[in-house]
Amino acid sequence: MTAIQFNNVSKTYGQGLKKQKVLHDLSLSIMTGEVFGFLGPNGAGKSTTIKLLLNFIRPDQGDIHVKQCRVGKDNYLHHIGYLPETPCFYENLTASEIMYFSGKISGLKQDQLKEQTQDILKRLKLDHAQSWQIGTYSKGMKQRLGLALALVHDPEIYILDEPMSGLDPMGRYLITDVILELKQRGKTVFFSSHILSDVEKLCNRIAILNKGKHLFSGAIDEILPQYGSNLEHAFMNIIQTDDRGKNG
Amino acid sequence: MDKIRLIAWITFKDCIRNKALYGIFFMGLILFSANIIITGMFTWELGKVAVDMGLSIISFSGLIIIFFLCLPILGNDIEKKTVYLILSRPVTKAHYIIGKYMGLGLIIMISSVFLGLCAALSVKISVMGAGTFIPPHFSWGMFTLSICYLTLSLLILLSLAFFWVCTSTHHFTAVLLTIMTYFICHNMENVKNIILSTKIMSSDSLSIKVINAVTWILPNLTAFDLKTTAAYGLPVNTLSLSWLLIYGVSYSVVCIMLTVLIFQKRELS
Ligand SMILES: Nc1ncnc2c1ncn2[C@@H]1O[C@H](COP(=O)(O)OP(=O)(O)OP(=O)(O)O)[C@@H](O)[C@H]1O
Ligand SMILES: [Mg+2]
């Protein structure tokens, strides 16, 4: 079954002279229970795609489906746990307050919520800081709190925009571990990342995007012998071939 | 409804812990002390001046809270993408706007209550000092009523601020537009009075009617200013005050509804 489906999605930013097409006719499907890596150089349009998926912005063309629901028409957000690229919080609140808010607004019951919050914060090594105001958190702590918020209501689909950014090796390990556990429990994870070793470890399939164009999608072992000896080489090759093709 | 309450709750909690709010309260307290000292210099009509000053201070502090606290909070939400935190949950944009308005509205009400008590105290102290003239019809009821209407006018201004933040692309533009609206609102009445006093136009000519209409559309914030009534202890017209209440509440409601409509169209990139 498909968890997320993009059909011929295009997106343009700006108007008039500043008009810039950042997504060209993207079609992609992500199956239920899959960990899907979304790769591409800076400015490729990864975050844009994710924002389209969450209905923060609307596509010029095409449609997006999450499970059976059409984005922009039906209510589907209760299925989704989202981690933004740079998570921003209300800085005068504490971690446990924001966790309480997020769980409650996603429809969790009080007692369920308490347990869940404790477990998740402990897991992400934030339990010692749960009564601190978020303004005092470091970047990595905020990132982990962002992930905690995506996990709190135990959704089926996780959409993570660069979950590893700003984390120390320990934090990266923690998050990899969390994603692996989600994979075992049959959840769907769609995440963008620049850290190819993590992608290699975690993903069933990947997609590569360059300048808004979808270049490749498939399993990692489909890409490897054909384009390069490891994922990093393969990624470079694909992007460079595409760039050369455009210039030449 | 639960969702709106939750959003209002975190907005309120975040704002009440903001250090700037305490700065504003502190400034209010200093002004009240100044009020006591300055009114001490008037040998008569002391009560009147104290009441007038007290109410002005509440209104001034309210304006500062709107411009330097509420507007940046809302602007940051949209610019720094803190909204993603809320809108990636199963809530609508209407929930978000209404919740946010209620949270910040509550802050304004609390500040009015707190500063209102301080104002009352300062009036009491300055009147007590000299055993002086107290306006014949002065009543604490009227004093409280004028604080309520003042708060209502602040809430209207807040709804206008919401409207401008959600229609403009940058929050500084929104601040400018809100200030502009505020100034125009406050001067329309004067303009009308000047035109009327020159007797160039009669009070039922078309342009006066247009000006009148514009005054009420832009919200007529001067109508909510009952300072003079309170200070001089003038008689109140219950009927017109009730109309004013209905007008104020419906104005805010309509303004927030329009904001929601526009915000729903807006992309949050
Ligand atoms: N709000 C915006 N207005 C105009 N252009 C934008 C806006 N946001 C992004 N863009 C443009 O869209 C393109 C894609 O941006 P996007 O943020 O999706 O890239 P990305 O793949 O997430 O990059 P990164 O790896 O750096 O996060 C970029 O060229 C960027 O300049
Ligand atoms: Mg990005």
Side-chain angles (χ1 to χ4, degrees):
Chain A
M1 223 175 65
T2 50
I4 304 169
Q5 174 83 44
F6 290 89
N7 295 323
N8 308 94
V9 175
S10 303
K11 176 69 192 167
T12 315
Y13 276 126
Q15 284 160 345
L17 283 179
K18 282 196 229 150
K19 215 163 167 168
Q20 182 196 11
K21 195 157 186 175
V22 294
L23 268 190
H24 301 261
D25 207 24
L26 176 73
S27 297
L28 206 59
S29 39
I30 291 124
M31 301 295 156
T32 308
E34 196 168 46
V35 175
F36 195 99
F38 197 40
L39 311 181
N42 291 133
K46 302 182 295 296
S47 301
T48 306
T49 312
I50 288 174
K51 284 175 197 167
L52 284 166
L53 185 52
L54 281 143
N55 200 25
F56 296 146
I57 52 180
R58 278 178 292 271
D60 309 341
Q61 263 171 37
D63 49 77
I64 306 168
H65 293 264
V66 172
K67 294 175 73 112
Q68 309 303 331
C69 311
R70 175 153 182 196
V71 172
K73 276 232 173 78
D74 309 308
N75 296 325
Y76 63 100
L77 286 167
H78 49 281
H79 296 304
I80 286 184
Y82 169 61
L83 169 70
E85 193 166 19
T86 43
C88 268
F89 308 95
Y90 296 110
E91 306 245 305
N92 299 323
L93 298 181
T94 67
S96 38
E97 279 164 352
I98 198 86
M99 287 288 276
Y100 174 84
F101 165 78
S102 305
K104 204 82 206 280
I105 210 161
S106 294
L108 284 190
K109 296 274 176 312
Q110 199 96 7
D111 40 346
Q112 211 180 347
L113 182 56
K114 231 179 203 144
E115 239 170 79
Q116 197 86 318
T117 304
Q118 286 309 320
D119 283 355
I120 293 170
L121 288 181
K122 194 165 264 164
R123 182 96 200 261
L124 292 170
K125 301 237 177 335
L126 286 172
D127 47 339
H128 65 288
Q130 59 177 298
S131 52
W132 301 0
Q133 293 192 1
I134 299 171
T136 65
Y137 274 34
S138 72
K139 182 173 177 345
M141 288 165 91
K142 283 185 186 163
Q143 186 78 14
R144 275 180 283 154
L145 179 59
L147 187 69
L149 293 182
L151 295 169
V152 69
H153 52 303
D154 195 35
E156 291 158 57
I157 301 173
Y158 295 81
I159 296 165
L160 314 175
D161 200 345
E162 299 189 25
M164 318 287 182
S165 79
L167 289 179
D168 59 13
M170 195 58 210
R172 259 174 63 195
Y173 173 77
L174 272 178
I175 289 195
T176 327
D177 201 46
V178 169
I179 296 179
L180 278 176
E181 196 224 86
L182 292 175
K183 188 178 180 177
Q184 263 166 21
R185 287 170 54 208
K187 307 278 186 182
T188 313
V189 181
F190 177 63
F191 76 103
S192 75
S193 181
H194 293 297
I195 300 169
L196 297 179
S197 58
D198 291 332
V199 172
E200 214 163 350
K201 215 176 336 174
L202 292 170
C203 295
N204 303 89
R205 290 199 303 145
I206 57 168
I208 297 179
L209 203 67
N210 188 30
K211 298 184 181 151
K213 284 225 188 74
H214 177 205
L215 299 182
F216 172 87
S217 61
I220 292 183
D221 23 321
E222 280 172 47
I223 198 177
L224 279 190
Q226 197 181 343
Y227 292 96
S229 55
N230 61 26
L231 189 57
E232 206 165 318
H233 279 149
F235 178 76
M236 295 294 206
N237 268 336
I238 291 178
I239 299 292
Q240 275 164 1
T241 318
D242 181 58
D243 284 346
R244 230 176 288 131
K246 224 164 270 162
N247 299 336
Chain B
M1 203 55 217
D2 239 20
K3 291 177 177 171
I4 295 178
R5 222 193 48 226
L6 275 166
I7 295 171
W9 176 75
I10 55 162
T11 307
F12 175 76
K13 215 158 195 182
D14 181 50
C15 191
I16 201 85
R17 290 189 190 150
N18 199 322
K19 299 208 176 57
L21 188 63
Y22 297 101
I24 296 169
F25 281 166
F26 186 65
M27 180 204 71
L29 290 183
I30 290 180
L31 288 177
F32 284 124
S33 330
N35 185 14
I36 296 173
I37 296 166
I38 292 171
T39 45
M41 295 189 286
F42 294 86
T43 43
W44 76 305
E45 294 205 313
L46 192 146
K48 218 159 69 187
V49 177
V51 170
D52 197 14
M53 285 272 282
L55 291 174
S56 300
I57 292 169
I58 299 175
S59 144
F60 179 65
S61 308
L63 286 181
I64 296 212
I65 289 180
I66 291 182
F67 284 113
F68 292 98
L69 209 61
C70 298
L71 266 165
I73 281 180
L74 196 61
N76 265 341
D77 245 26
I78 294 174
E79 254 155 58
K80 283 200 192 153
K81 312 291 178 270
T82 323
V83 257
Y84 287 176
L85 191 78
I86 295 178
L87 292 182
S88 63
R89 306 272 153 189
V91 296
T92 61
K93 287 181 173 173
H95 288 146
Y96 169 74
I97 294 283
I98 297 170
K100 204 83 196 164
Y101 181 73
M102 291 193 355
L104 294 177
L106 197 59
I107 293 282
I108 289 182
M109 288 189 225
I110 285 184
S111 105
S112 285
V113 170
F114 173 74
L115 294 172
L117 288 176
C118 296
L121 199 68
S122 79
V123 169
K124 258 233 144 78
I125 291 175
S126 47
V127 172
M128 199 171 59
T132 39
F133 172 82
I134 298 174
H137 301 289
F138 175 79
S139 74
W140 288 108
M142 191 56 219
F143 186 73
T144 318
L145 195 66
S146 53
I147 292 180
C148 290
Y149 273 86
L150 200 155
T151 311
L152 184 57
S153 80
L154 289 173
L155 290 176
I156 295 175
L157 190 66
L158 183 68
S159 71
L160 269 171
F162 266 64
F163 178 79
W164 288 126
V165 170
C166 292
T167 42
S168 51
T169 47
H170 196 280
H171 107 251
F172 188 68
T173 329
V175 172
L176 287 183
L177 285 167
T178 315
I179 292 180
M180 234 171 67
T181 327
Y182 178 76
F183 266 92
I184 297 175
C185 291
H186 266 263
N187 291 310
M188 277 314 259
E189 195 77 13
N190 291 347
V191 172
K192 195 177 75 188
N193 289 341
I194 291 168
I195 294 177
L196 279 179
S197 67
T198 54
K199 301 219 166 55
I200 301 171
M201 286 177 242
S202 68
S203 58
D204 51 39
S205 74
L206 187 65
S207 24
I208 291 295
K209 275 184 186 147
V210 169
I211 288 180
N212 249 333
V214 170
T215 322
W216 288 95
I217 289 170
L218 271 180
N220 187 353
L221 292 180
T222 31
F224 291 89
D225 185 353
L226 304 179
K227 269 205 288 290
T228 6
T229 324
Y232 287 87
L234 301 177
V236 289
N237 180 344
T238 326
L239 185 67
S240 72
L241 279 188
S242 326
W243 274 118
L244 201 57
L245 179 68
I246 294 171
Y247 165 76
V249 172
S250 28
Y251 194 94
S252 319
V253 170
V254 169
C255 200
I256 287 297
M257 267 161 42
L258 277 179
T259 308
V260 168
L261 282 182
I262 289 168
F263 195 57
Q264 270 163 352
K265 295 255 164 10
R266 182 166 169 179
E267 298 208 322
L268 297 162
S269 61

